[in-house]
Amino acid sequence: MRNRSEQTICAISTPPGTGGIAVIRLSGPGALQLAQKISPGLLKKTIQSHRAYFSMIRDSSGELLDEAVITYFEAGKSFTGEQVVEISCHGSEYISEKIIDLLVDHGASLAEKGEFTFRAFMNNRIDLVQAESVLSLIQSQNQASARVAMRQLQGHISRKFESIESRLTWCLAHIEASIDFSTEGIDVVDPLVLLEKLKALRQEMFILVSSYRSGRLIKEGIKAVLLGKPNVGKSSLLNLFSEDDKAIVTPIAGTTRDVIHGATLFEGLRFTLSDTAGLRETRDEVEKIGVDRSHKEALRADIVLYVVDLTSIDAQEIRQQLQSVAGPLIILLNKSDLVSSPQITQAREILQSLIPTLEEKDTILTSHLDPDTRIRVLTAVKNKLGQMNVMDEAVVTSARQYEMSKYSLDMLDVSISELEKKMGAEFIAMYLKESLLSVQRILGHVFDDQIMDRVFKEFCLGK
Ligand SMILES: Nc1nc2c(ncn2[C@@H]2O[C@H](COP(=O)(O)OP(=O)(O)O)[C@@H](O)[C@H]2O)c(=O)[nH]1
Ligand SMILES: [Mg+2]
């Protein structure tokens, strides 16, 4: 992708297959000229930016290939920052590919994956975080993730990182200046002021790093696994939650052998649910593999929904099965339609004695015959996994941004403790530089060693 900004790239921007229309995008210095080559009629018109032109697309022999609408965006006023032409043609794979062939014959290059966005980044239309959000937006499958991605594209999270970047630069510049002027006895910055600034930055970075957990769940969806012994009603619950008839339900224990997935949208979030083979000792080879898969699925999940049958509670068995559950857990007291309230109270007492840390909200009465069960369980899962109403906050959703923010935070932590221990400015500067570099890498800004300039802009030597 590098060093080809002189070339004009082209690609079909709509998904493969047949559709009402297909859109072909051209970007680069020769975009308009190429469009005029395949649609000579355009030469007779005065082409203005952001205007659409009804055009005839002709092949090299002059034969009419398609009627299309061509939209022109002049350089500096397009997504990529370059001259861009979008050709909306009839959505036949043959026609759109033929148009691409024609453009290539006239000198266009086939775009590589993500190259339009890459050019937008190289031309400073967007930063790296925004470039990543373009991808998230395209991939979003629910309201929450689309909204978060849209806000990122608008620069919501970039502004947070930029603000951190700018203040970190200030701190680093002052520390470096204090190294330079230490022999002259000039106190460039009060260490207490510096400490206060770094701690404030640390807090902001910490919030961003912590937002990743929710960010990931918003982007990728929440993975919940239904676990429990055979016949407690796991498959019935999967069908209820996913509003589908995915899993086979029978009164025969051991019906579910493999992991079955269901998905559902709830309050803007995507839930992926997996139903598993009931946990029990078995001689059946196939069932054994199924039970093994159940355990593996539980490890991969964000939350385990452990199902117990209120009509047959076996404390010993529950204790043993819960041993392998490490992460967040909610217990579903199922078949509640079949029991009386003293039985429910007794079941809750048994569970409480098994898991002393269990809170009331972590046990939910369920029955596949009660339509409110779905809402109750999905709401509880959402609440259990923490602040998911963060759609309006700046949320880190990319692993890259998370790793780099985490590194930046770690380096900030070290800088703060070095400063508190009154270590030499050189050490503090070294860690701060690492922290800053990581933020700059997040945004795709190149680190520029001109921080001293900034210092001199702020105060003069004569002071
Ligand atoms: N009354 C009642 N029966 C249920 C409920 N959930 C499941 N069942 C019945 O219990 C049996 C086993 O259900 P299933 O969903 O296959 O359990 P699994 O083995 O845990 O997947 C079936 O006969 C279901 O109809 C419930 O909430 N109430
Ligand atoms: Mg089942």
Side-chain angles (χ1 to χ4, degrees), residues 226 234-247 260-266 271-275 305 373-375 377-378:
L226 288 154
K234 299 178 295 302
S235 298
S236 308
L237 287 172
L238 176 90
N239 292 343
L240 178 74
F241 296 158
S242 56
E243 298 176 306
D244 202 348
D245 221 1
K246 285 252 172 189
I260 297 168
H261 298 283
T264 190
L265 291 177
F266 178 70
F271 290 76
T272 317
L273 301 140
S274 28
D275 176 26
L305 303 175
T373 287
R374 178 176 179 271
I375 296 175
V377 173
L378 297 182

Side-chain angles (χ1 to χ4, degrees), residues 181-425:
F181 299 122
S182 58
T183 49
E184 295 167 37
I186 301 173
D187 212 0
V188 178
V189 60
D190 179 349
L192 283 178
V193 171
L194 197 62
L195 195 61
E196 203 179 303
K197 285 189 189 289
L198 289 179
K199 281 188 172 167
L201 281 168
R202 188 212 175 269
Q203 186 54 21
E204 281 178 44
M205 201 49 146
F206 177 74
I207 292 171
L208 283 171
V209 169
S210 316
S211 75
Y212 179 60
R213 206 174 91 100
S214 314
R216 192 181 61 78
L217 293 175
I218 288 173
K219 189 176 166 192
E220 294 172 15
I222 296 168
K223 289 189 211 73
V225 62
L226 288 154
L227 217 62
K229 68 176 190 177
N231 252 357
V232 292
K234 299 178 295 302
S235 298
S236 308
L237 287 172
L238 176 90
N239 292 343
L240 178 74
F241 296 158
S242 56
E243 298 176 306
D244 202 348
D245 221 1
K246 285 252 172 189
I248 300 171
V249 172
T250 76
I252 307 159
T255 303
T256 312
R257 296 296 188 94
D258 215 335
V259 179
I260 297 168
H261 298 283
T264 190
L265 291 177
F266 178 70
E267 293 187 350
L269 292 168
R270 185 180 160 83
F271 290 76
T272 317
L273 301 140
S274 28
D275 176 26
T276 58
L279 304 177
R280 65 168 172 183
E281 293 293 325
T282 173
R283 286 174 188 280
D284 183 313
E285 281 303 313
V286 181
E287 197 180 345
K288 241 184 219 168
I289 297 171
V291 172
D292 194 36
R293 287 191 181 175
S294 305
H295 287 297
K296 286 197 178 123
E297 194 67 16
L299 289 177
R300 275 198 289 267
D302 297 309
I303 188 163
V304 169
L305 303 175
Y306 184 76
V307 188
V308 297
D309 180 343
L310 280 170
T311 64
S312 67
I313 290 203
D314 179 341
Q316 239 356 75
E317 196 175 29
I318 297 174
R319 184 205 304 275
Q320 196 229 330
Q321 294 187 344
L322 284 179
Q323 268 172 3
S324 59
V325 177
L329 167 74
I330 287 180
I331 297 183
L332 307 184
L333 304 173
N334 201 30
K335 304 197 187 178
S336 61
D337 56 295
L338 295 178
V339 294
S340 61
S341 62
Q343 280 173 287
I344 295 170
T345 312
Q346 199 194 357
R348 284 216 154 103
E349 280 167 6
I350 294 174
L351 286 164
Q352 192 67 51
S353 67
L354 284 175
I355 317 165
T357 53
L358 201 68
E359 290 181 50
E360 185 152 346
K361 59 179 166 41
D362 296 333
T363 57
I364 301 169
L365 283 182
T366 57
S367 163
H368 79 112
L369 299 171
D370 168 13
D372 285 345
T373 287
R374 178 176 179 271
I375 296 175
R376 268 207 307 277
V377 173
L378 297 182
T379 307
V381 168
K382 200 176 138 185
N383 293 341
K384 179 86 187 168
L385 291 179
Q387 262 302 345
M388 217 67 70
N389 302 322
V390 287
M391 283 182 250
D392 296 326
E393 310 279 324
V395 199
V396 172
T397 55
S398 107
R400 184 189 75 91
Q401 289 168 31
Y402 166 72
E403 281 156 22
M404 291 184 170
S405 310
K406 180 79 179 60
Y407 182 70
S408 176
L409 177 66
D410 291 347
M411 290 299 108
L412 250 177
D413 274 337
V414 182
S415 315
I416 290 170
S417 77
E418 295 288 284
L419 191 61
E420 279 172 337
K421 282 188 273 175
K422 301 196 168 40
M423 298 302 282

Side-chain angles (χ1 to χ4, degrees), residues 169 172-173 176 433 447-455:
T169 307
L172 180 58
E176 298 221 323
K433 211 172 211 164
F447 179 68
D448 192 334
D449 213 1
Q450 292 178 344
I451 28 180
M452 289 308 280
D453 284 355
R454 279 191 70 145
V455 178

